[in-house]
C-alpha cells in the first residue's frame, strides 16, 4: 500500500494540461502515493447537473490531500442553458465546485505564497517574497444571496437598518443582496494561522487587511479579532492596512510587506495582485487548507482560449504540489522541488509563452523533473 492517497482532480480546460505536467514532476520525485482520479467540472454539470458529484465528495473524505487543476464556471442562467435537455427547468442551480469544496470541508485557509524567483523575466521587482493568508469560507463568499429580494427580507431590513431606506421602494428584481458574513471564530483562526506561520518561518511582520472604516460591522469584527490574536505574538510586528491603500502601497513598495492576512474577498484581490508581481497566473500557487483535508491548486482558471494547446505555464500547479509536500510533512522533497523549479527559471533555457519562450506545458514539467 502507498504511504499517501491523493485525490487527482484535473477539472476543465488547461487544468488537465498543467496537472499532466505536475504528475511528471511528482513521479520523478518518487513520492510514495496512490493518485485517485476524481470527477469535477463543467462536463459533470452539463451531463448530470452537478459539477461536484457525490462520488467526488466521498473520494475527498478518504484521502490525505488533493491536487486540483481548474474548472470552468458560468453565471447561473448561462449554466442552466448548457444542461442536457432532460435536466433543464428542474430548478438546478450552478454553484462553483471549488467554493462548495471549501465550505463542505471547512478549508478555511487559502494560502498563497508569492515569491520572485531570480531569473524570472516576469518579476515586477527582484526579492519579493510575500505570503497571503486569505479566509476561505465566509465573508462575501458565504453564499447567502438574494435576487429577487424576498419581501420578508426587505421588510426586516426596512425595520432594522436606516441606510436601507433608499432601496426599500425598489421592486424585488430591481436589486440584489449579497451578505458579507464574518464570524469571530472564522477571523480568529485565519489570523492565528498567519501568525503561527510567521512564528515558525521567522517572518518579521503580519499585515491585517480590512476596510473597517466603512464596512464597520463585518470588517470591524475581523480587525478587532485580529488585534486580540496579535497581542499573543509580541515578537512579530503587526501592521493594519485598508484594502484600497494597501493595493497602492503593495505596488509601490512590495518589499515592505511580508505575511498578509485578509477576509475572503480582499484576500482574493491581493493574492492576484501579489501573483502578478512574481510572474502572473502561471506562477500563482495556492493551498486550501482545513484541519483534516487540504486541496492544492493553481490560482488560475481553465483558460478556455488556450485549452488543448499545451502551451500554458504549469509552474503554478507544480509549486502548488510543492505546498502539498509541505502539508504531508515531506520537507526534503518539497525543498528539492522548489530548488528544481528555481534552477529551471534561473537557467532560462526552458520557458513557456508567458515567459517569452515557446516551450510546451509538458516540456516545462520535464525540465523541472530532470533537475530533481
Ligand atoms: N479555481 C478555478 O478553477 C478558477 C479560477 C478562476 C477562474 N475560473 C474559471 O475559468 C474560466 C476562465 O476564466 P478566465 O479566462 O477569466 O481566467 P483564467 O485564469 O482561466 O485565464 C485568464 C488568462 O490568464 C492567462 N493564464 C491563465 N493561466 C495561465 C497559465 N498557467 N500560464 C500562462 N498564462 C495563464 C491566460 O492569458 C488566460 O487567458 C472561467 O469559467 C472562470 O470562471 C476558475
Amino acid at each position: 500500500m502507498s504511504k499517501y492517497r491523493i485525490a487527482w482532480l484535473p477539472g476543465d480546460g488547461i487544468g488537465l494540461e498543467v496537472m499532466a505536467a505536475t504528475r511528471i514532476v511528482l513521479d520523478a520525485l518518487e513520492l510514495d502515493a496512490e493518485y485517485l482520479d476524481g470527477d469535477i467540472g463543467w462536463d459533470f454539470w452539463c451531463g448530470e447537473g452537478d459539477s461536484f458529484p457525490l462520488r467526488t465528495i466521498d473520494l475527498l473524505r478518504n484521502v490525505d490531500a488533493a491536487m486540483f487543476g481548474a474548472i470552468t464556471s458560468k453565471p447561473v442562467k448561462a449554466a442552466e442553458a448548457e444542461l442536457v435537455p432532460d435536466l433543464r427547468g428542474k430548478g438546478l442551480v450552478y454553484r462553483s465546485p471549488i467554493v462548495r469544496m471549501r465550505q463542505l470541508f471547512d478549508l478555511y485557509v487559502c494560502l498563497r505564497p508569492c515569491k520572485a524567483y531570480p531569473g524570472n523575466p516576469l518579476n515586477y521587482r527582484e526579492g519579493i517574497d510575500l505570503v497571503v493568508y486569505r479566509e476561505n469560507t465566509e465573508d462575501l463568499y458565504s453564499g447567502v444571496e438574494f435576487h429577487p429580494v424576498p419581501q420578508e427580507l426587505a421588510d426586516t431590513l426596512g425595520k432594522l437598518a436606516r441606510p436601507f431606506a433608499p432601496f426599500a421602494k425598489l421592486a424585488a428584481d430591481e436589486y440584489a443582496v449579497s451578505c458579507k458574513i464574518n464570524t469571530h471564530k472564522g477571523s480568529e483562526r485565519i489570523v492565528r494561522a498567519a501568525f503561527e506561520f510567521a512564528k515558525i518561518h521567522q517572518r518579521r511582520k503580519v499585515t491585517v487587511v480590512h476596510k473597517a472604516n466603512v464596512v464597520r460591522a463585518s470588517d470591524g469584527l475581523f480587525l478587532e479579532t485580529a488585534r486580540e490574536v496579535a497581542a499573543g505574538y509580541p515578537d512579530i510586528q503587526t501592521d493594519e492596512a485598508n484594502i484600497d491603500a494597501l493595493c497602492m502601497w503593495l505596488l509601490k513598495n512590495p518589499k515592505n510587506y511580508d505575511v498578509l492576512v485578509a477576509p475572503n474577498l480582499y484576500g482574493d484581490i491581493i493574492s492576484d495582485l501579489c501573483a502578478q508581481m512574481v510572474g502572473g497566473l502561471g506562477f500563482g500557487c495556492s493551498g486550501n487548507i482545513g484541519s483534516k483535508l487540504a486541496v492544492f491548486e493553481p490560482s488560475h482558471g481553465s483558460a478556455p482560449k488556450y485549452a488543448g494547446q499545451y502551451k500554458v505555464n504549469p509552474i503554478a500547479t507544480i509549486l502548488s504540489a510543492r505546498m502539498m509536500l509541505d502539508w504531508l510533512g515531506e520537507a526534503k522533497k518539497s525543498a528539492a522541488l522548489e530548488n528544481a523549479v528555481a534552477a529551471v527559471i534561473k537557467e532560462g533555457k526552458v520557458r513557456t509563452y508567458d515567459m517569452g519562450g515557446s516551450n510546451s506545458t509538458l516540456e516545462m514539467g520535464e525540465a523541472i523533473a530532470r533537475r530533481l
Side-chain angles (χ1 to χ4, degrees), residues 9 33 37-39 48 77 109 141 159 189 255 317 354 357:
L9 315 173
D37 293 328
D39 296 337
E48 336 178 348
K77 282 184 188 152
V109 173
Y141 295 64
K159 266 190 232 145
R189 62 186 184 173
K255 285 199 264 179
T317 317
D354 53 321

Side-chain angles (χ1 to χ4, degrees), residues 14 18 68 70-73 98 281-282 297 299-306 312-313 353-354:
I14 62 162
V18 292
F68 171 55
I71 40 102
T72 296
S73 266
I98 186 70
L281 288 173
E297 55 158 343
S299 50
H300 61 73
S302 59
K305 77 174 181 198
Y306 291 127
V312 298
N313 193 342
Y353 87 92
D354 53 321

Side-chain angles (χ1 to χ4, degrees), residues 39 102 137 194 338 355:
D39 296 337
R102 288 168 182 160
T137 56
E338 187 180 28
M355 301 170 80

Side-chain angles (χ1 to χ4, degrees), residues 45-306:
W45 164 256
C46 298
E48 336 178 348
D50 193 351
S51 58
F52 185 32
L54 202 54
R55 57 187 180 278
T56 308
I57 296 175
D58 282 339
L59 169 68
L60 288 178
R61 289 202 172 103
N62 291 295
V63 292
D64 298 294
M67 280 296 304
F68 171 55
I71 40 102
T72 296
S73 266
K74 294 190 186 177
V76 172
K77 282 184 188 152
E80 196 189 352
E82 291 195 32
L83 283 169
V84 291
D86 284 0
L87 293 174
R88 282 182 217 152
K90 298 211 162 149
L92 294 169
V93 178
Y94 180 82
R95 278 197 70 204
S96 155
I98 186 70
V99 174
R100 281 170 64 200
M101 192 190 295
R102 288 168 182 160
Q103 289 178 341
L104 195 62
F105 290 94
D106 200 19
L107 306 175
Y108 64 93
V109 173
C110 184
L111 175 56
R112 293 189 173 178
C114 298
K115 190 166 171 179
Y117 288 97
N120 182 352
L122 300 171
N123 286 342
Y124 172 64
R125 302 256 170 87
E126 298 308 322
I128 296 175
D129 187 4
L130 300 163
V131 178
V132 179
Y133 272 79
R134 164 190 172 196
E135 201 290 323
N136 217 13
T137 56
E138 41 188 60
D139 197 58
L140 262 181
Y141 295 64
S142 64
V144 183
E145 303 197 279
F146 303 92
H147 185 236
V149 178
Q151 192 56 44
E152 213 181 338
L153 178 63
D155 291 345
T156 308
L157 289 173
K159 266 190 232 145
L160 299 182
R162 195 180 294 176
F164 184 70
F167 306 105
K169 298 176 197 81
L170 297 171
D173 61 353
E174 279 180 337
Y175 70 120
V177 173
S178 300
C179 297
K180 176 169 158 79
I181 304 179
N182 290 358
T183 66
H184 183 271
K185 177 183 165 194
S187 307
E188 201 269 343
R189 62 186 184 173
I190 188 69
V191 176
R192 190 168 300 287
F195 273 94
E196 279 298 307
F197 174 89
K199 188 167 116 183
I200 292 166
H201 296 275
Q202 279 125 40
R203 296 286 190 139
R204 69 198 144 90
K205 179 159 94 172
V206 174
T207 301
V208 180
V209 185
H210 66 92
K211 186 72 186 173
N213 55 339
V214 177
V215 189
R216 289 163 199 266
S218 48
D219 281 3
L221 178 67
F222 185 83
L223 182 58
E224 256 172 49
T225 311
R227 287 177 182 161
E228 283 164 27
V229 174
Y233 297 85
D235 297 337
I236 298 167
Q237 191 191 335
T238 309
D239 181 28
E240 296 171 2
N242 278 319
I243 174 68
D244 46 345
L246 178 76
C247 289
M248 188 183 70
W249 288 114
L250 255 178
L251 265 187
K252 193 167 189 301
N253 299 319
K255 285 199 264 179
N256 283 0
Y257 296 90
D258 191 345
V259 178
L260 300 130
V261 61
N264 209 335
L265 178 63
Y266 309 146
D268 200 4
I269 294 167
I270 54 170
S271 37
D272 273 20
L273 174 58
C274 294
Q276 188 57 38
M277 290 195 284
V278 298
L281 288 173
F283 292 83
C285 53
S286 83
N288 302 280
I289 302 171
S291 49
K292 292 193 186 122
L293 177 69
V295 180
F296 298 88
E297 55 158 343
S299 50
H300 61 73
S302 59
K305 77 174 181 198
Y306 291 127

